[in-house]
Amino acid sequence: MKSDADMQLENARLRNQSRGRWRDYLNVIKPRETALLVFIALTTAFLAGNGVVPFDRALLIFIAVLLASAGANGLTNYLDRGIDARMERTRQRALPAGRIFPPE
């Protein structure tokens, strides 16, 4: 039978794994690159609209570019997982390191 301290330690370990898994999934979509592309798209819309972008259009641009960029980055990570596993610099990414698996 486990003691209270052992159970608390096990619960803490499971919480840390969940946080790590969440971060792994987030890193697959490359949030910095995605945010940069969203910023560029909104800036372009602002400039093209002579400083005025209706809220509904800005929201549509935000959502479309966010989803397209995140999807493309996720697909790229999936397709390059074999190559990434062989390269020193990319070996520790979530997919090649086996922290998450393609069916997930």
Side-chain angles (χ1 to χ4, degrees), residues 17-30 73-75 77-78 81 91-104:
Q17 282 180 342
S18 295
R19 285 185 203 138
R21 179 163 284 219
W22 179 82
R23 285 185 186 125
D24 285 338
Y25 281 108
L26 185 63
N27 285 332
V28 165
I29 63 169
K30 299 184 179 184
N73 286 328
L75 182 61
N77 271 282
Y78 171 74
R81 68 190 186 281
R91 189 171 290 155
Q92 292 306 313
R93 289 183 180 170
L95 282 165
R99 291 191 307 273
I100 59 176
F101 299 95
E104 294 181 324

Side-chain angles (χ1 to χ4, degrees), residues 1 6-7 17 19-20 25 28 31 38 44 47 65-66 70 74 76-77 79 82 86 95 99-100:
M1 187 164 162
D6 289 338
M7 290 178 66
Q17 282 180 342
R19 285 185 203 138
Y25 281 108
V28 165
V38 168
T44 302
L47 293 173
V65 173
L66 178 77
T76 298
N77 271 282
L79 295 174
R86 287 183 253 146
L95 282 165
R99 291 191 307 273
I100 59 176

Side-chain angles (χ1 to χ4, degrees), residues 2 33 47 50 65 70 72 74 80 89-91 96 104:
K2 290 185 177 181
E33 292 176 14
L47 293 173
N50 293 320
V65 173
D80 287 347
R89 182 179 62 85
T90 58
R91 189 171 290 155
E104 294 181 324

Side-chain angles (χ1 to χ4, degrees), residues 12-63:
R13 186 183 64 78
L14 290 173
R15 279 194 307 273
N16 284 339
Q17 282 180 342
S18 295
R19 285 185 203 138
R21 179 163 284 219
W22 179 82
R23 285 185 186 125
D24 285 338
Y25 281 108
L26 185 63
N27 285 332
V28 165
I29 63 169
K30 299 184 179 184
R32 289 186 308 190
E33 292 176 14
T34 299
L36 180 62
L37 288 172
V38 168
F39 173 74
I40 291 169
L42 290 173
T43 301
T44 302
F46 180 78
L47 293 173
N50 293 320
V52 178
V53 181
F55 177 75
D56 59 338
R57 185 163 300 175
L59 183 63
L60 181 63
I61 291 168
F62 175 82
I63 291 170

